[in-house]
Amino acid sequence: MGQHVAKIGVQGRVLTKFAGVQRGVTCVMLPKTFHMHRIGRRGGTRDPQLLGPDTSYRKAPRDRGCCSINFLKYVLFIFNFIFLLGGCAVLGVAIWTLTEKHHYVSLLTTTTYASVAYILLLAGIVVIFAALLACCAILKEDRCSLLVYTFLLLLVFLLEAVGGVLAYVYEEQVMAELSHTLTQTFNENYMMEPEVTRAVDMMQREYHCCGALTFSQWRDSRWLQEGQGINNTVPDSCCKTPSPYCGVSDHPSNIWYNGCIHQFEEELGSHLVVLGAVGCGISLVQVFGMILSCCLYIKLKDVDDEY
């Protein structure tokens, strides 16, 4: 083999001397690619050869930095797990409200208390569906599903925030409502409406009370004035030991003398505080989820556009 010597000219012409034959190679630089043309002894172009794109300048956006796709996926997985736990908590509180405390709704003149429970129930159901959708979207890196997940997070945020604010606002108004309407409900609707009758009897047995403000208010009730109480002076649920017709005597040893309104107000207020805290507190978590999902969506879009 002959000696191989290369000299590079000013204009990018490469002269080679191989086995006594002078040949030339001209490099033409284009964006991201370059072509080499082999030039013979007389300077004619023989055959262009595409050597391929120069990818040395590209980075690996999936794996580099704190905002890489893999990092965002891991963080969003962790958030989604916390999001699911929070949704289950909201759903549990809503179900508990509707099953254990819903019978007292008939004693209220507004539907705010029931509305808060139903709003949180809907939010909890949406959370479970959104969490399952998020798992599929993250694993498949599906931008469309990720966008739907972001809108579901926004919906859950609005539902929980509205439910929490309603609970806090109604908690401030519940005392005024009960003081104006509970006595009237006891006197006008007891034994006239089955739901109210069951709620009043359950409340008097549970709270160990009699009447809205005091036991003596039963004397003004329609139930007693229309003779439905037979010989009773108070309902049997007022008795310390409830039994049929035990309400004939209103002696302190037989019935409770304190009214129900204060205990009812205290329990209803504390329950509304719980509903408000759950709604407003957990709704703040959705903000971080929306930020993470938007970041992952943009990152996936940038990678797709680049390649």
Side-chain angles (χ1 to χ4, degrees):
M1 300 294 291
Q3 187 178 11
H4 181 235
V5 180
K7 296 182 180 179
I8 303 177
V10 177
Q11 298 181 351
R13 181 178 175 80
V14 181
L15 300 178
T16 63
K17 191 172 183 181
F18 182 78
V21 180
Q22 182 176 349
R23 305 181 67 86
V25 178
T26 301
C27 298
V28 182
M29 301 302 297
L30 297 176
K32 298 187 181 179
T33 63
F34 63 87
H35 296 269
M36 291 190 92
H37 301 275
R38 299 183 184 276
I39 303 176
R41 281 187 243 177
R42 298 181 182 179
T45 301
R46 302 177 74 177
D47 58 329
Q49 181 180 8
L50 179 63
L51 298 183
D54 181 10
T55 59
S56 59
Y57 70 93
R58 288 185 177 176
K59 298 180 181 180
R62 297 181 60 88
D63 303 321
R64 290 187 180 180
C66 63
C67 291
S68 66
I69 289 180
N70 289 336
F71 175 80
L72 290 174
K73 286 172 63 176
Y74 292 142
V75 175
L76 196 55
F77 260 125
I78 296 174
F79 165 80
N80 198 51
F81 178 71
I82 299 174
F83 174 60
L84 182 61
L85 292 180
C88 291
V90 171
L91 187 63
V93 170
I95 293 175
W96 171 65
T97 301
L98 294 175
T99 55
E100 296 296 325
K101 303 298 179 181
H102 190 66
H103 46 266
Y104 292 144
V105 171
S106 59
L107 301 178
L108 304 173
T109 56
T110 63
T111 59
T112 306
Y113 182 74
S115 299
V116 171
Y118 282 116
I119 288 174
L120 294 182
L121 178 66
L122 178 60
I125 295 174
V126 175
V127 164
I128 295 177
F129 174 75
L132 296 177
L133 178 64
C135 292
C136 297
I138 296 171
L139 290 175
K140 296 180 179 180
E141 297 184 2
D142 185 357
R143 285 191 296 155
C144 182
S145 299
L146 202 60
L147 190 61
V148 175
Y149 172 66
T150 305
F151 282 110
L152 289 177
L153 284 177
L154 178 61
L155 176 61
V156 172
F157 168 77
L158 294 176
L159 287 173
E160 292 178 346
V162 169
V165 171
L166 281 177
Y168 278 124
V169 171
Y170 187 58
E171 190 266 337
E172 298 294 332
Q173 301 174 351
V174 68
M175 179 57 186
E177 177 185 335
L178 291 178
S179 61
H180 285 88
T181 62
L182 192 62
T183 299
Q184 182 180 359
T185 302
F186 271 50
N187 290 344
E188 297 294 329
N189 300 327
Y190 184 76
M191 286 297 179
M192 306 299 168
E193 297 182 12
E195 290 186 3
V196 173
T197 302
R198 286 193 297 268
V200 169
D201 286 337
M202 185 177 298
M203 178 181 292
Q204 292 186 144
R205 285 193 294 265
E206 182 179 352
Y207 294 160
H208 296 164
C209 59
C210 187
L213 294 175
T214 179
F215 77 97
S216 60
Q217 289 183 328
W218 283 113
R219 298 169 185 170
D220 302 324
S221 65
R222 288 178 59 189
W223 163 72
L224 204 61
Q225 291 179 353
E226 294 179 3
Q228 298 187 35
I230 310 178
N231 295 323
N232 279 27
T233 56
V234 293
D236 292 337
S237 56
C238 286
C239 298
K240 295 182 178 180
T241 306
S243 60
Y245 305 108
C246 67
V248 173
S249 172
D250 58 2
H251 192 271
S253 61
N254 185 49
I255 66 171
W256 306 103
Y257 268 31
N258 56 296
C260 300
I261 187 170
H262 298 294
Q263 289 175 280
F264 184 41
E265 177 211 347
E266 182 179 351
E267 181 169 341
L268 189 62
S270 61
H271 193 204
L272 286 169
V273 169
V274 171
L275 292 176
V278 169
C280 292
I282 297 182
S283 67
L284 298 177
V285 179
Q286 324 312 331
V287 177
F288 297 100
M290 287 186 282
I291 295 174
L292 289 173
S293 60
C294 288
C295 290
L296 182 57
Y297 177 86
I298 295 173
K299 197 72 175 178
L300 290 173
K301 184 178 183 298
D302 291 342
V303 172
D304 291 343
D305 292 343
E306 184 175 357
Y307 288 96

